[in-house]
Amino acid sequence: RPVRLGVQHCPAPAAAADLVVRVRENLRSVTSSITVDLGPVLGCHVGPGAVGVVIGTQLDPITRGSSAG
């Protein structure tokens, strides 16, 4: 079943990139992915070095700059 992958980080771009690679190696059905910085609002709650992942089967294709309607 095709899935889409989203990875967020605070600021930990190397850890986020590594996670994307590892998820794609183990979950071959990933059709698209996006990696973003969590930003200051969430970052102040989770702290430096945090990395999060979202995997969905019912999501629209991921593109930068798209917004939920």
Side-chain angles (χ1 to χ4, degrees):
R1 173 181 242 186
V3 297
R4 294 182 177 96
L5 171 67
V7 176
Q8 310 86 32
H9 63 89
C10 180
D18 180 57
L19 182 60
V20 169
V21 169
R22 292 189 307 165
V23 169
R24 283 184 169 273
E25 286 174 352
N26 291 288
L27 189 59
R28 304 265 180 203
S29 58
V30 173
T31 59
S32 65
S33 65
I34 190 169
T35 302
V36 297
D37 191 327
L38 277 175
V41 173
L42 291 174
C44 72
H45 295 285
V46 297
V51 177
V53 64
V54 176
I55 297 173
T57 59
Q58 302 284 326
L59 302 172
D60 291 333
I62 299 170
T63 57
R64 286 202 184 275
S66 64
S67 61

